[in-house]
Amino acid sequence: PTQIKGVEEPLHIYEVLGAGPLRTRLQVSATRRGLTRFVGRQNEMEQLKKALEHAKAGHGQIVGTMGEPGLGKSRLFHEFVGATGRSPLLVLQAYSVSHGKASPYLPVIELLKSYFDIQTQDDERKRREKVIGKVGANNYTPLLANNYSPLPDRSLEDTLPYLFALLGIEEQPSPLQQMDPQIRRRRTFEGLKKLFLRESLNQPLILIFEDLHWIDGETQGFLDVLSESVASARLLLLTNYRPEYRHEWGQKTYYTQLRLAPFGKPEAEEFLDELLGTTVGAYNHTPLHALKRLILEKTEGTPFFMEEIVQELVEQGVLVRAPQGGAYDHTPLPTDLHIPTTVQGVLAARIDRLAPEEKALLQQLAVIGREFPLSLLRQVISQPEDQLYRLLASLQHKEFLYEQPALPEPGYIFKHALTQEVAYGTVLHERRKDLHERTAQAIAALYRANLDDHYSELAHHYTRSGNTEKAIEYLHLAGQQAVQRSANVEAVHHLTTALDLLTTLPDTRARAQRELTLHLTLGMPLQVTRGFASPEVQATYTRAWELCQQIGETRQFFPALSGLRRFHHVRGELLVARELGEQLLGLAQREQDPAFLVEAYRALGSTLCHLGEFGAAQAHLEQGLALYDAQRHRSHVFLYSIEPGVFGLSNAAWVLWHLGYPDQALRKSEAARTLAQELSYPFTLAAARVFAVMLHQLRRERLLTQEWAEAGLTLAREQGFAVWLGQGAVLRGWALAEQGQIEEGITQIRQGLATYKAVGAGIFQSYYLVLLAEVYGKAGQVEEGLSALAEALTVVDKTGERFYEAELYRVKGELTLQQNRERGTGYGEQKKDTDPRSLTPDPQAEAEQCFLKAVEIAQKQQAKSLELRAVMSLVRLRQQQATRPGSRAMLAEAYNMLSEVYHWFTEGFDTKDLQEAKTLLEELEERTTR
């Protein structure tokens, strides 16, 4: 308080110290000219206050406010935050924008900039200092509850690389550069969550996310992750959105849905009284109630509509401020008074009524975006500074814009999203393109030092401007940035948009080169979002391969061909995959590039394994593993979506088991799991676990099969890997059936197969169908088992996948014998009441042929483990045929076969197959002796 000469009472004198925390349009409006008194919404306010009390007590809450545009969603949050008083809490607020769906993390980045107090003019060093300083300040923990003694707490240090990446702060070398996109995405979410949960320990935290109907996929993903941890934190998450938005939080006990409806009649009248006042008209002697009734009828209780109609009537001269102030009078109502029927119509009428230079500026601003700094306006708009300020002041006075205080310069924001939308719609097409072009050029010039923060904006403006060359450039950069941030959906959007635009350019070699680069960049996010075997993946890599042939880019042949081979391999088109794999290896050998050779040997070895060519498969896989270096080749996961070390070791384990080396196979599998654990790529880790499950199943280790299947399923569910979910379910079902839970096992296998087929995968189907047939046999459902085997044979003929073909025929022979036992009284006999047509002419003979075929296939493939099983089945059959003529010689022949194959083995004698073979040999020796 200061005494001023000539003034009776002391006046309060203020010193300007800096910009305050005013950020939202409502905060600005409240400070500049005041807001209309808040009307209604008492119930909603009470629910928000109750949610905050729960949050303060450590029982976090989520509140979603849904309503059509103009119902006051933002105003409700503004009033609520204002009503929290001086209680110690932190409020952070973020917004989505209409073109923000293609800009990953946009609201999150704005939230972080607010939290760390990062200004536009801050260089990278300053940003880094602010982040480290803030994180360090929060990186302490109390020693005792009643005696605060801060101790260093390193729990937030691991969040720094992810925060730096979001805020455009470069690290050399970056620990995230070679990280699997999925794991980077997950760790980014976890880092953000940890940061805000840690802040909530210091003080209650309110996070506000507005306009979720425009939210991007990565921000949505973060909110989904955060929503799972809100319940036990001092955190209140407030969101608002239009009715078309959908989320998955509705079933949570700590979630509250507020549905804003238009004002009821009493509230609408009260709100309109606040807008107009209650003064009797001075120009005529009719009260305002006739005009109020007309407004109420038109607006149907929508607050923003009411405000805009009142402003419209003021601008038309129908409403005038009363001489005594504080209220409106109205002139005699014109007979042709027209009030638009929508708020958009009111806004359009108001914009049309602006002076030409004001309207032109408003349209220019609408093209720039919802909010913008003054420096950007100066770059885009070529007007004298005093004229620009005058026009901005006029648009503020007429409540189209609000000014936002900031340092070193103010910014501006449209009063409402609808205001910007309508203003943008009034711009003629050609002029709109020109304004987008000027805006993009201004952003590029103004932010050249940290342009990567603005890739999405530049892509948006250049796309709208018709500058195809620049649009493609920045769409590609934005797509690459999205891939690095694991924002694969956004990456696909950017890159496919770029490819669409590219078709409008002349067909030149340069265009073909750009198209090739875009397709190769698109391949990985497509595989993650659509699956390896999706038609979109095929189309992308097919086109990339065609372009390589067209322009002769040798080094880019390899990733194009690799992606195409992988598609055909996973689809089960193995002969095509083999041909492409051989081309891949030939190319790698010509280039003599170790990185190419590692991938080529692994890829071809994998396909040969599925074809049942185990000797050749082993040779290729071992050559690839000999060249593999975990540090140098870890980037393969970004180029090919496959980590060659883990997949090579896993494939080698499979091959070694088939070749008759079960212990060496186990060591390879363990090495694959260890490497996958070290690399920590979720997709690769899930793959290593599922391959380990398959090996344990082949070794007939039911408990380990179940254990590793459940571990793989857990990770696959967390990450949404449908392929590994399907495979894990099949193998777990087999393990359950082996332990006596047969019906549950059948259900699991069938569900797993359905999930697996749904993603278009063709490989492994014959293997899983044989497992299903085995379990059907245990359940006594022989017909269903034989039907599954018939389907498996069809798959083998279609795909050429023969690695389990010997076992397919062996199991068919066993089920044929089982079917005959259940229908008759013994081998080759019939029940008297059995229809002879339902029996095979000689089930034993048919089964014997199946076993002999299994032996033949296994021997041809060098698959000693499958040969052993087939021979054991043949020996058991010969034992049962003891009464047949010549059976003794046949049994002796079978014994010699079993003895020969058993004594071939040099390891694995603790496995179930070899233990059973040993027991069977001993029985035969004893029988022969007798």
Side-chain angles (χ1 to χ4, degrees):
T2 304
Q3 191 67 49
I4 303 297
K5 184 178 180 180
V7 180
E8 185 175 344
E9 297 293 329
L11 297 179
H12 288 282
I13 304 300
Y14 298 88
E15 178 185 0
V16 178
L17 301 177
L22 302 179
R23 294 188 61 82
T24 73
R25 60 183 177 83
L26 291 169
Q27 290 170 330
V28 173
S29 181
T31 305
R32 298 292 169 140
R33 56 172 54 83
L35 296 170
T36 307
R37 185 173 65 84
F38 188 57
V39 170
R41 310 301 190 202
Q42 286 84 2
N43 181 55
E44 290 84 355
M45 284 290 285
E46 286 303 317
Q47 291 190 69
L48 288 170
K49 289 176 181 177
K50 188 182 299 183
L52 180 58
E53 290 306 314
H54 283 302
K56 285 181 176 179
H59 307 292
Q61 301 288 303
I62 304 174
V63 179
T65 302
M66 182 181 75
E68 296 287 352
L71 289 178
K73 300 183 292 294
S74 297
R75 178 68 186 274
L76 175 65
F77 285 176
H78 172 77
E79 294 296 330
F80 167 67
V81 171
T84 58
R86 298 187 177 182
S87 57
L89 54 83
L90 176 64
V91 180
L92 297 174
Q93 196 157 1
Y95 307 86
S96 299
V97 294
S98 57
H99 64 276
K101 285 181 180 290
S103 303
Y105 294 108
L106 186 61
V108 173
I109 291 169
E110 290 307 309
L111 199 76
L112 290 174
K113 287 180 178 178
S114 174
Y115 179 68
F116 291 115
D117 190 28
I118 291 174
Q119 306 296 327
T120 304
Q121 70 275 13
D122 289 342
D123 58 20
E124 189 173 304
R125 182 187 61 80
K126 189 69 172 177
R127 293 184 184 197
R128 184 187 300 274
E129 289 175 355
K130 287 184 175 181
V131 173
I132 293 175
K134 185 81 169 181
V135 168
N138 281 337
N139 225 13
Y140 290 89
T141 187
L143 182 64
L144 295 172
N146 298 322
N147 182 19
Y148 186 84
S149 178
L151 295 173
D153 173 10
R154 305 299 181 190
S155 63
L156 289 181
E157 284 186 355
D158 60 354
T159 67
L160 286 173
Y162 306 96
L163 297 174
F164 288 159
L166 288 174
L167 293 168
I169 302 170
E170 292 186 5
E171 289 188 283
Q172 294 296 336
S174 171
L176 310 186
Q177 190 171 9
Q178 303 299 332
M179 187 176 289
D180 174 78
Q182 289 298 321
I183 198 166
R184 177 174 175 173
R185 183 176 191 262
R186 176 171 59 82
R187 290 183 179 176
T188 298
F189 292 167
E190 291 297 325
L192 291 167
K193 181 182 76 173
K194 186 188 295 187
L195 178 72
F196 293 124
L197 292 180
R198 179 68 188 182
E199 181 61 50
S200 74
L201 296 177
N202 300 329
Q203 58 187 325
L205 177 61
I206 299 178
L207 292 181
I208 301 175
F209 283 81
E210 297 214 42
D211 297 326
L212 294 192
H213 44 275
W214 291 323
I215 195 171
D216 64 278
E218 301 314 296
T219 302
Q220 181 66 64
F222 163 62
L223 290 180
D224 290 340
V225 168
L226 181 64
S227 70
E228 298 297 328
S229 302
V230 165
S232 58
R234 295 198 300 168
L235 192 154
L236 175 59
L237 176 59
L238 300 181
T239 65
N240 65 36
Y241 42 84
R242 296 177 186 176
E244 61 266 24
Y245 171 75
R246 295 289 181 270
H247 60 75
E248 302 296 329
W249 313 323
Q251 302 303 314
K252 298 187 183 301
T253 56
Y254 47 90
Y255 174 78
T256 302
Q257 175 81 67
L258 303 181
R259 296 176 180 269
L260 288 194
F263 284 152
K265 185 178 180 182
E267 292 172 322
E269 289 177 344
E270 182 182 356
F271 185 71
L272 194 54
D273 284 343
E274 286 295 321
L275 288 172
L276 297 175
T278 55
T279 306
V280 175
Y283 292 87
N284 63 6
H285 299 290
T286 305
L288 279 172
H289 67 262
L291 182 59
K292 289 180 179 178
R293 186 170 62 249
L294 178 62
I295 295 173
L296 290 171
E297 289 173 358
K298 291 286 187 180
T299 60
E300 297 181 334
T302 302
F304 181 59
F305 198 174
M306 290 184 190
E307 289 180 341
E308 292 302 311
I309 278 192
V310 168
Q311 192 68 29
E312 163 77 358
L313 294 173
V314 169
E315 292 173 2
Q316 288 186 35
V318 174
L319 285 173
V320 294
R321 183 71 67 179
Q324 63 270 34
Y328 284 105
D329 281 340
H330 70 74
T331 62
L333 297 181
T335 56
D336 60 346
L337 177 64
H338 171 69
I339 298 178
T341 57
T342 65
V343 67
Q344 288 89 345
V346 173
L347 286 166
R350 291 191 58 213
I351 292 169
D352 283 343
R353 197 176 295 110
L354 289 171
E357 56 185 5
E358 291 176 341
K359 182 177 179 180
L361 177 59
L362 188 70
Q363 290 174 327
Q364 287 177 314
L365 301 180
V367 171
I368 294 172
R370 175 81 188 281
E371 56 183 306
F372 30 80
L374 181 60
S375 57
L376 183 57
L377 298 189
R378 290 180 179 141
Q379 287 275 349
V380 175
I381 297 165
S382 55
Q383 286 184 340
E385 193 168 295
D386 59 342
Q387 183 180 358
L388 176 61
Y389 282 130
R390 177 178 58 78
L391 293 175
L392 286 170
S394 178
L395 292 174
Q396 290 179 75
H397 177 72
K398 295 175 180 178
E399 297 206 23
F400 288 101
L401 303 175
Y402 292 136
E403 182 181 326
Q404 292 182 298
L407 287 175
E409 59 179 3
Y412 294 86
I413 185 171
F414 275 86
K415 177 183 177 182
H416 197 280
L418 283 176
T419 310
Q420 186 215 351
E421 291 173 17
V422 174
Y424 185 85
T426 65
V427 186
L428 294 176
H429 181 68
E430 286 304 317
R431 184 160 179 266
R432 185 185 299 173
K433 288 171 61 177
D434 178 62
L435 291 174
H436 275 296
E437 178 73 17
R438 287 162 58 185
T439 302
Q441 291 175 355
I443 291 172
L446 190 62
Y447 302 115
R448 64 172 64 90
N450 54 340
L451 205 57
D452 55 343
D453 286 349
H454 303 274
Y455 285 160
S456 291
E457 288 176 74
L458 288 164
H460 165 73
H461 286 296
Y462 279 126
T463 300
R464 295 291 184 92
S465 76
N467 187 337
T468 305
E469 291 281 353
K470 285 290 187 180
I472 292 169
E473 176 187 348
Y474 285 105
L475 283 165
H476 187 202
L477 289 169
Q480 288 178 315
Q481 188 179 68
V483 169
Q484 292 165 1
R485 292 173 173 174
S486 301
N488 292 298
V489 173
E490 287 78 8
V492 169
H493 170 79
H494 287 310
L495 296 167
T496 53
T497 302
L499 284 166
D500 289 341
L501 287 175
L502 198 63
T503 61
T504 65
L505 296 180
D507 187 3
T508 63
R509 178 183 174 84
R511 191 190 89 168
Q513 178 62 67
R514 294 179 76 176
E515 185 183 354
L516 173 59
T517 303
L518 285 167
H519 277 296
L520 293 177
T521 308
L522 177 61
M524 183 190 171
L526 267 183
Q527 288 174 107
V528 173
T529 56
R530 311 286 167 83
F532 287 115
S534 69
E536 296 91 341
V537 169
Q538 180 188 25
T540 292
Y541 283 113
T542 299
R543 180 58 180 159
W545 174 239
E546 291 169 351
L547 289 164
C548 283
Q549 292 179 310
Q550 177 182 329
I551 61 181
E553 286 291 333
T554 306
R555 290 201 61 80
Q556 289 182 307
F557 274 165
F558 195 85
L561 187 59
S562 177
L564 200 56
R565 186 216 67 87
R566 186 165 50 255
F567 165 81
H568 288 291
H569 177 86
V570 176
R571 289 278 292 187
E573 297 163 354
L574 294 174
L575 296 180
V576 177
R578 175 182 186 158
E579 181 182 347
L580 294 175
E582 289 169 347
Q583 292 181 34
L584 201 64
L585 181 56
L587 177 59
Q589 289 171 336
R590 287 194 299 275
E591 290 289 308
Q592 281 301 298
D593 185 323
F596 284 1
L597 287 167
V598 167
E599 176 58 23
Y601 279 125
R602 185 214 61 79
L604 184 54
S606 174
T607 299
L608 291 170
C609 172
H610 282 269
L611 288 167
E613 300 181 26
F614 297 115
Q618 183 192 26
H620 284 84
L621 291 168
E622 291 299 337
Q623 283 180 283
L625 289 170
L627 294 169
Y628 171 75
D629 180 274
Q631 292 302 317
R632 284 191 300 163
H633 300 136
R634 63 189 307 169
S635 62
H636 279 220
V637 76
F638 299 102
L639 296 172
Y640 313 114
S641 304
I642 295 292
E643 206 294 316
V646 174
F647 277 78
L649 287 165
S650 297
N651 289 145
W654 252 66
V655 170
L656 284 167
W657 181 86
H658 281 85
L659 289 172
Y661 302 100
D663 291 347
Q664 292 181 52
L666 189 60
R667 288 195 290 273
K668 291 283 188 186
S669 178
E670 289 169 349
R673 292 200 303 265
T674 300
L675 178 59
Q677 197 71 42
E678 291 172 356
L679 296 171
S680 296
Y681 303 148
F683 187 83
T684 301
L685 186 56
R689 290 178 180 178
V690 172
F691 275 115
V693 180
M694 289 191 280
L695 180 63
H696 288 304
Q697 188 283 317
L698 292 173
R699 288 168 57 96
R700 298 173 66 192
E701 297 164 335
R702 59 191 185 185
L703 293 177
L704 285 171
T705 300
Q706 180 179 352
E707 177 185 336
W708 281 104
E710 289 172 351
L713 282 168
T714 298
L715 183 58
R717 287 192 194 101
E718 288 175 358
Q719 300 294 327
F721 300 142
V723 170
W724 304 136
L725 274 174
Q727 293 180 282
V730 170
L731 293 158
R732 183 175 185 272
W734 177 88
L736 291 175
E738 284 290 306
Q739 296 172 74
Q741 302 175 54
I742 297 176
E743 288 304 320
E744 185 178 351
I746 290 172
T747 300
Q748 283 255 313
I749 293 174
R750 290 175 62 86
Q751 289 175 347
L753 268 169
T755 301
Y756 189 63
K757 291 177 182 178
V759 298
I763 54 172
F764 291 117
Q765 279 193 39
S766 59
Y767 167 51
Y768 295 143
L769 286 165
V770 172
L771 298 187
L772 178 60
E774 270 192 88
V775 175
Y776 272 134
K778 288 181 180 294
Q781 301 175 37
V782 180
E783 293 292 342
E784 290 83 350
L786 289 170
S787 177
L789 291 175
E791 185 181 349
L793 279 168
T794 302
V795 170
V796 168
D797 291 338
K798 178 182 176 182
T799 64
E801 184 178 60
R802 300 186 182 278
F803 74 88
Y804 217 52
E805 187 181 16
E807 188 70 349
L808 190 161
Y809 280 102
R810 187 193 71 80
V811 174
K812 182 181 179 182
E814 294 286 3
L815 290 181
T816 300
L817 294 175
Q818 183 178 343
Q819 181 185 54
N820 191 69
R821 286 197 298 271
E822 292 175 358
R823 289 178 172 177
T825 58
Y827 288 97
E829 300 179 11
Q830 290 179 216
K831 287 185 178 179
K832 294 179 181 178
D833 58 349
T834 301
D835 183 352
R837 292 173 298 178
S838 67
L839 294 172
T840 58
D842 187 347
Q844 293 185 36
E846 182 179 351
E848 184 175 17
Q849 288 303 310
C850 286
F851 297 149
L852 288 171
K853 187 171 182 63
V855 172
E856 178 189 358
I857 292 170
Q859 289 176 342
K860 183 178 178 181
Q861 294 178 347
Q862 302 174 284
K864 286 295 183 181
S865 293
L866 295 183
E867 182 185 353
L868 179 68
R869 288 186 186 176
V871 171
M872 281 195 290
S873 288
L874 181 63
V875 168
R876 291 189 184 105
L877 174 59
R878 298 275 169 87
Q879 283 181 308
Q880 297 296 328
Q881 295 172 329
T883 59
R884 286 191 171 191
S887 61
R888 189 175 183 85
M890 293 172 64
L891 185 59
E893 179 190 2
Y895 169 80
N896 289 334
M897 289 174 66
L898 180 59
S899 178
E900 181 181 347
V901 69
Y902 175 80
H903 287 103
W904 178 92
F905 281 85
T906 58
E907 64 182 61
F909 295 107
D910 59 339
T911 61
K912 194 171 182 179
D913 284 338
L914 283 163
Q915 287 175 345
E916 288 181 358
K918 180 181 179 183
T919 301
L920 188 54
L921 278 172
E922 290 170 351
E923 290 175 2
L924 289 172
E925 287 174 358
E926 184 180 347
R927 184 168 180 172
T928 304
T929 303
R930 288 203 309 268

